[in-house]
Amino acid sequence: MSTREIVEETLDNTTIDPSVTWTTGNVAEAFPGVFTTLGFTFINASVELATRTTFRNLGVLTKKQVCVPDQPEDMFWTLFAGRAAANIDKFREIANITPGTSATAVEQQLFGYVRPETVDANSARRYPVIVAKAPAAVLRLPKRHDAEFAELRRWRLAHLDRIDTLDHAGCVELLDDARQRFQRMLTKHMLVAFVSSGLADRVTDMLAELDLADLGPALLSGVGSDESEIAHDLWALAHDEITLREFTDRHGYHGNNEGQLSGVTWREDPAPVLNRLADYRAIPADSPRAPRNRSQEQIATRHRALAELQAALPRRKRGGAARYVRWAARWIALREQGKAGYLLTFDIARAAARRQGALLVEAGVIDHIDDVFHLSYDEVRAGVTGDRRALVGARRAAYEQRCDYRLPQAWAGVPVLTKAGESDAPALDVSGVLTGVAASGGVVEGRARVVRDPSTTELDDGDILVCETTDPSWVSLFLVAAGVVTDYGGLLSHGPIVARELGIPCVCGTENGSYRIRDGQRIRLDGDAGTVTVLG
């Protein structure tokens, strides 16, 4: 069987317990693409400890359980062929001893689907501890989350301009600092993800009881996510209301492959942003499509949906319903803020790593600055002095080969890899229908644009974005798209949240929609019914 050390060396699990079930849902959204050695070893232990600390703070796990296991089967996440996967069975265990949720709910909200064989097996054995610890942890979190995020913004800007002057010791100190801040932010983010899922469950259950399920997306709209600010500032940059430096100071930690340390951000290469400014320049300030106006309309949409919900309730229950909707909106906004928070730590870590790479090139250890990402975190910290070109070459070759493959959405044991861009699923013909999660309401027709790389794709106004998953670097496409279809994710995934903030229809969790829909087909996206129909 694989061990944690073997996985950190090979970035793969070639032998693993065949009974354990894994998924790329949700975790692939946080850390999309293929890991390099530095990228994985920088965050591996931190992700595991952050997850376990979150559940300890809630009283679900004991202090002794906050550790990094030796066996991947016992961890909440690991890698297969360089790509991240979450351990569904571990999250089911947590759900089964946590009040207010279940294995079914966690699978649906975190991963976008529920397996047919899933059976809830809730136990109350940890309830007394949870009741004692969880309320305080939850009530204190929003203000602490806001404060941590604001501090990370200040910290990033304070360090960026001086990184190019650091020596080896300075790089290591900053990398260590970034890693600690990443773990702290992720610990808060994991709690936000868990609580927001519970609140969303409560809202959807309430609606189902009243036969008002179609109000769900509207009640989760207009929450004021970080991506709304990106959208507005893209528009402001196009209209010369802010400078490029102001934009990259605020949002430059985003960019293609931003969930990987080896990714290139808008701070380093703003071309993907600049290339789309003409689209935003064509949107006047008084247009309903201007980001600020879209946000205001979505807030109004949420208020109208709440009024409809309250009208269906007895007077004594209306106040409680309003509180649940208000709390859900607040925590969903924190969910997106948390992702932005750990990306701030990544931006400093990648800048420090590239500075260290430059020093290693000068020392003759590696050939290119980005070769540093194929060294381990411990190797970088140790300040390697011998020639590492052969080792880097072998690791780079494995990385490039893995980029040509992808994992399934879910599997047990060792996954079967498929070529990226290929699928056994049959393409949809005219009148073919694809079904997913109704994530953002509305019906729209347009040309499907199947996108694999947001940095190299141009959308025309009215095109419908079809992709595997999204992260904040995709926001520049959302402003142009008439709707969004994703393979992965649930109601609280990134793509649906941003779609609701911008008021465009979205169907998520189609599993293989980006492989069954052909680029250029005319399609109808029904965000209320959760369907996509090929028109021609």
Side-chain angles (χ1 to χ4, degrees):
M1 290 292 181
S2 296
T3 64
R4 178 166 54 87
E5 289 75 15
I6 290 174
V7 176
E8 291 191 346
E9 174 61 31
T10 65
L11 306 186
D12 197 7
N13 276 280
T14 56
T15 56
I16 201 160
D17 187 340
S19 68
V20 179
T21 308
W22 304 88
T23 181
T24 52
N26 198 264
V27 69
E29 181 181 295
F31 307 115
V34 177
F35 274 89
T36 61
T37 300
L38 179 57
F40 182 60
T41 54
F42 178 77
I43 70 169
N44 184 27
S46 294
V47 172
E48 190 69 23
L49 290 172
T51 305
R52 290 170 177 270
T53 300
T54 295
F55 294 129
R56 182 202 170 194
N57 291 343
L58 287 172
V60 179
L61 294 181
T62 65
K63 181 178 180 180
K64 185 178 180 180
Q65 290 173 299
V66 181
C67 61
V68 182
D70 292 328
Q71 299 301 126
E73 294 92 339
D74 297 325
M75 297 181 70
F76 281 90
W77 87 304
T78 189
L79 296 190
F80 292 89
R83 294 181 183 269
N87 187 333
I88 293 182
D89 295 334
K90 291 300 295 182
F91 281 97
R92 280 169 48 87
E93 289 176 16
I94 293 296
N96 283 333
I97 57 176
T98 304
T101 188
S102 64
T104 296
V106 165
E107 286 191 15
Q108 181 62 56
Q109 291 289 357
L110 292 184
F111 306 129
Y113 65 96
V114 179
R115 294 171 295 158
E117 66 271 24
T118 295
V119 176
D120 294 335
N122 291 70
S123 166
R125 63 184 175 83
R126 293 290 298 175
Y127 283 15
V129 181
I130 294 169
V131 169
K133 297 187 70 171
V138 171
L139 291 173
R140 289 196 299 260
L141 184 62
K143 288 186 178 179
R144 292 184 175 183
H145 202 283
D146 288 342
E148 182 91 14
F149 184 67
E151 167 58 18
L152 285 174
R153 281 191 176 278
R154 184 206 62 76
W155 169 78
R156 171 179 173 267
L157 292 178
H159 284 283
L160 275 179
D161 288 337
R162 70 179 187 87
I163 286 177
D164 284 344
T165 68
L166 296 179
D167 58 9
H168 163 70
C171 289
V172 169
E173 181 180 358
L174 194 53
L175 277 169
D176 287 347
D177 187 16
R179 192 189 202 196
Q180 292 167 8
R181 290 173 184 269
F182 166 77
Q183 184 174 322
R184 288 202 302 269
M185 187 73 247
L186 191 64
T187 301
K188 293 180 176 64
H189 175 63
M190 290 295 296
L191 180 53
V192 165
F194 207 69
V195 173
S196 61
S197 294
L199 289 170
D201 285 343
R202 181 68 188 93
V203 170
T204 54
D205 288 347
M206 185 191 329
L207 294 174
E209 291 171 3
L210 297 168
D211 199 23
L212 294 173
D214 59 315
L215 290 182
L219 287 172
L220 301 178
S221 297
V223 302
S225 71
D226 186 62
E227 277 75 8
S228 298
E229 292 305 309
I230 299 175
H232 172 70
D233 284 350
L234 279 167
W235 183 92
L237 177 62
H239 288 262
D240 298 319
E241 292 185 2
I242 61 173
T243 65
L244 179 60
R245 177 59 188 263
E246 288 174 315
F247 179 84
T248 56
D249 278 354
R250 296 176 191 174
H251 311 293
Y253 52 93
H254 293 302
N256 190 37
N257 209 24
E258 64 186 24
Q260 297 291 342
L261 278 192
S262 56
V264 177
T265 62
W266 294 337
R267 169 183 58 80
E268 299 166 293
D269 178 16
V273 171
L274 298 176
N275 290 342
R276 294 201 175 97
L277 291 187
D279 294 327
Y280 314 134
R281 204 171 285 124
I283 303 174
D286 58 355
S287 169
R289 296 176 57 228
R292 279 285 187 253
N293 297 334
R294 289 187 181 202
S295 296
Q296 290 301 315
E297 175 57 30
Q298 291 311 106
I299 292 172
T301 295
R302 177 158 56 87
H303 289 162
R304 288 193 294 271
L306 177 58
E308 186 174 346
L309 168 61
Q310 289 180 306
L313 289 168
R315 186 177 299 275
R316 69 181 185 280
K317 293 185 177 181
R318 293 174 184 174
R323 282 193 296 275
Y324 268 111
V325 171
R326 184 172 64 251
W327 291 340
R330 169 71 163 132
W331 283 79
I332 292 171
L334 287 176
R335 190 182 179 108
E336 295 306 296
Q337 186 190 77
K339 292 178 182 177
Y342 68 69
L343 290 174
L344 288 165
T345 69
F346 271 28
D347 201 34
I348 288 295
R350 69 167 52 91
R354 287 197 163 106
R355 170 59 181 167
Q356 181 74 342
L359 296 175
L360 293 176
V361 169
E362 290 177 12
V365 173
I366 56 178
D367 285 330
H368 307 286
I369 289 175
D370 275 16
D371 287 347
V372 71
F373 294 109
H374 297 292
L375 298 173
S376 73
Y377 183 59
D378 288 342
E379 288 167 344
V380 170
R381 291 189 80 258
V384 291
T385 55
D387 192 323
R388 292 293 190 277
R389 290 178 205 146
L391 175 65
V392 164
R395 288 175 175 172
R396 189 196 308 113
Y399 169 82
E400 291 172 352
Q401 183 181 42
R402 286 166 175 163
C403 288
D404 291 334
Y405 291 89
R406 65 188 181 95
L407 299 174
Q409 187 168 358
W411 68 92
V414 177
V416 176
L417 303 179
T418 56
K419 289 282 287 185
E422 296 180 2
S423 173
D424 293 334
L428 289 172
D429 293 321
V430 175
S431 299
V433 179
L434 193 70
T435 302
V437 177
S440 182
V443 179
V444 65
E445 295 181 6
R447 179 180 64 164
R449 291 305 312 274
V450 180
V451 178
R452 305 293 175 202
D453 183 351
S455 67
T456 61
T457 301
E458 292 296 331
L459 262 66
D460 292 334
D461 190 26
D463 284 347
I464 296 175
L465 173 63
V466 181
C467 56
E468 290 188 8
T469 187
T470 68
D471 60 41
S473 68
W474 291 68
V475 171
S476 56
L477 292 178
F478 277 68
L479 274 180
V480 181
V484 179
V485 180
T486 67
D487 294 355
Y488 299 152
L491 201 61
L492 299 188
S493 295
H494 173 266
I497 290 175
V498 178
R500 290 194 296 270
E501 288 303 286
L502 296 178
I504 59 177
C506 176
V507 174
C508 66
T510 62
E511 295 192 20
N512 52 17
S514 70
Y515 293 91
R516 301 194 65 193
I517 296 171
R518 297 187 187 97
D519 186 63
Q521 283 183 319
R522 186 166 182 79
I523 61 175
R524 177 188 296 117
L525 189 166
D526 188 333
D528 298 308
T531 60
V532 183
T533 305
V534 175
L535 303 177

